[in-house]
């Protein structure tokens, strides 16, 4: 609300709220602060390379009630105008800037980088509409099309390029897969050979160590057997010597017993025989004793 007249110089601007107005001496006018949605169309605008395209954008604009300077500017320009009239003025301004930016870009730049195009329109339109007290809340590129099938052909070319790149990528992937598989197989075979070599070395070392161990064991076993046989021979010899000694002792005892028996018999016979018989026996016994003593 804008109150002017008696006692209101400069006019009083109220963005929402209440105000007392003196009839006849004061005047009250209203201006909309609602957000306005604009459908910005630019039909058949020639791009930098001379290709005509049609662009449609969606913009949100509104008069800034919080900024006193922008609100005063908007009141001076749009006081007494309806929302549709304000929307038409803002739409014409945006459409003009949109056309100007399209003319400086190529179709590919607009179509492929919509964000960049929207940012340029937003920036240029904001700097112009702010002088009218209008702020651009947002701008978005909605649609891009042409009547010459340029975008369709561009899409086909892009699709063909993408398919080509996909085929090339697939072929490269298969090639790399084959190479990786060959490398893996080579590494596997190499590892297998290396493992077999290590196993052969380990087997060889085992056989050598086993042979040395067997030689040592057999040597110790032979020495043990020789020592055992030697000990058996010594024991046997000692037993034989002791046996011979026993036999000698037994033989001597037998001889002694036989001599004692002979002496006993001679004594018995001496008691009954004549004297010459006794003499003869004594002499024979003496000769026999000497011969036994010699033996």
């Amino acid at each position: 609300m804008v109150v002017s007249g008696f006692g209101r110089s400069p006019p009083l601007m109220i963005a929402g709220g209440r105000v007392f107005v003196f009839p006849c001496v004061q005047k009250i006018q209203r201006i909309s602060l609602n957000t306005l949605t604009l459908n910005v169309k630019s039909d058949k605008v020639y791009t930098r390379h001379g290709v005509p395209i049609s662009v449609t954008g969606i913009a949100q604009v509104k008069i800034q009630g919080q900024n006193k300077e922008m609100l005063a500017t908007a009141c001076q320009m749009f006081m007494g105008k309806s929302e549709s009239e304000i929307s038409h003025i803002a739409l014409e301004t945006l459409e003009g800037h949109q056309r100007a930016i399209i003319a400086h870009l190529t179709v590919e730049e607009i179509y492929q980088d919509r964000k960049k195009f929207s940012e340029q329109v937003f920036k240029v339109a904001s700097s112009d509409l702010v002088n009218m007290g209008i702020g651009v809340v947002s701008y978005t590129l909605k649609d891009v099309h042409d009547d010459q099938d340029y975008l369709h052909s561009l899409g086909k070319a892009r699709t063909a390029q993408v398919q080509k790149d996909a085929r090339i990528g697939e072929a490269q992937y298969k090639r790399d897969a084959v190479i990786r598989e060959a490398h893996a197989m080579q590494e596997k075979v190499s590892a297998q050979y290396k493992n077999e070599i290590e196993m052969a070395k380990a087997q060889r070392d085992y056989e050598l160590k086993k042979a040395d161990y067997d030689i040592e064991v057999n040597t110790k076993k032979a020495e043990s057997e020789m020592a055992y046989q030697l000990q058996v021979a010594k024991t046997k010899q000692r037993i034989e010597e002791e046996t011979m000694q026993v036999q000698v002792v037994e033989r001597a005892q037998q001889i002694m017993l036989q001599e004692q028996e002979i002496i006993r018999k001679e004594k018995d016979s001496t008691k009954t025989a004549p004297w010459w018989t006794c003499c003869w026996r004594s002499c024979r016994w003496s000769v026999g004793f000497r011969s036994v003593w010699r033996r």
Side-chain angles (χ1 to χ4, degrees):
M1 295 180 294
V2 179
V3 181
S4 61
F6 179 76
R8 298 299 183 183
S9 182
L12 177 62
M13 295 178 296
I14 301 173
R18 298 177 181 180
V19 65
F20 181 79
V21 179
F22 293 99
C24 300
V25 295
Q26 291 182 342
K27 182 180 179 180
I28 184 171
Q29 294 175 298
R30 291 177 173 83
I31 185 170
S32 177
L33 301 181
N34 294 330
T35 300
L36 306 176
T37 301
L38 306 178
N39 192 17
V40 186
K41 286 187 176 183
S42 300
D43 295 329
K44 295 181 180 181
V45 181
Y46 286 92
T47 60
R48 188 171 65 186
H49 291 163
V51 179
I53 62 173
S54 298
V55 176
T56 302
I58 301 297
Q60 304 284 339
V61 299
K62 69 174 294 184
I63 296 175
Q64 300 294 333
Q66 292 78 15
N67 191 316
K68 297 298 183 181
E69 294 181 359
M70 292 182 65
L71 182 58
T73 301
C75 290
Q76 291 176 3
M77 297 191 66
F78 304 115
M79 187 61 67
K81 296 183 182 296
S82 62
E83 283 189 5
S84 60
E85 292 175 331
I86 297 173
S87 298
H88 181 72
I89 294 172
L91 179 60
E92 291 292 333
T93 304
L94 281 167
E95 203 273 335
H97 289 300
Q98 184 172 271
R99 282 178 170 271
I101 293 173
I102 292 172
H104 286 83
L105 298 175
T106 64
V107 179
E108 289 80 0
E109 291 173 342
I110 298 172
Y111 185 76
Q112 294 175 2
D113 197 349
R114 297 192 174 197
K115 183 179 179 181
K116 181 180 179 181
F117 176 79
S118 298
E119 289 175 351
Q120 290 184 5
V121 175
F122 179 85
K123 182 179 179 181
V124 175
S126 296
S127 63
D128 197 3
L129 290 175
V130 73
N131 296 326
M132 302 180 187
I134 299 176
V136 180
V137 180
S138 66
Y139 174 87
T140 304
L141 180 60
K142 181 181 179 181
D143 184 35
V144 179
H145 65 278
D146 70 300
D147 297 334
Q148 307 296 326
D149 289 337
Y150 183 85
L151 291 174
H152 182 67
S153 301
L154 184 64
K156 284 185 176 180
R158 180 58 182 166
T159 301
Q161 182 64 36
V162 170
Q163 292 177 351
K164 177 183 176 182
D165 294 341
R167 290 193 298 270
I168 293 173
E170 183 179 2
Q172 290 177 349
Y173 175 79
K174 290 182 178 179
R175 179 201 63 190
D176 295 340
V178 172
I179 294 174
R180 288 194 298 269
E181 184 178 359
H183 287 169
M185 183 60 67
Q186 182 179 2
E187 291 177 357
K188 178 181 178 181
V189 173
S190 178
Q192 183 177 358
Y193 287 161
K194 185 177 180 181
N195 186 32
E196 291 178 356
I197 292 172
E198 294 297 330
M199 291 178 62
K201 289 182 179 179
Q203 184 68 23
R204 180 199 62 187
D205 296 339
Y206 169 77
E207 295 293 340
L208 291 175
K209 289 181 179 179
K210 186 176 181 300
D212 294 338
Y213 176 77
D214 291 340
I215 292 173
E216 183 178 359
V217 170
N218 293 331
T219 302
K220 295 293 184 181
K221 186 176 180 181
E223 291 177 355
S224 177
E225 290 179 355
M226 291 178 64
Y228 173 76
Q229 293 177 1
L230 180 61
Q231 184 66 32
V232 169
K234 290 181 178 179
T235 303
K236 185 176 181 181
Q237 182 179 2
R238 185 169 61 253
I239 291 173
E240 291 177 353
E241 292 177 353
E242 291 178 356
T243 302
M244 291 178 65
Q245 291 178 1
V246 169
Q247 291 177 355
V248 170
V249 171
E250 290 179 351
R251 181 64 179 168
Q253 289 179 354
Q254 291 177 358
I255 294 172
M256 185 179 293
L257 290 174
Q258 290 177 359
E259 290 177 351
Q260 290 177 358
E261 183 66 21
I262 293 171
I263 294 171
R264 186 184 63 80
K265 288 180 178 182
E266 289 178 354
K267 287 182 180 181
D268 291 340
S269 60
T270 303
K271 291 179 181 181
T272 58
W275 60 269
W276 61 85
T277 304
C278 293
C279 293
W280 165 250
R281 292 179 177 174
S282 298
C283 292
R284 190 181 61 183
W285 178 86
S286 177
V287 172
F289 178 77
R290 284 196 298 271
S291 62
V292 171
W293 181 80
R294 287 192 187 94
R295 286 186 291 178

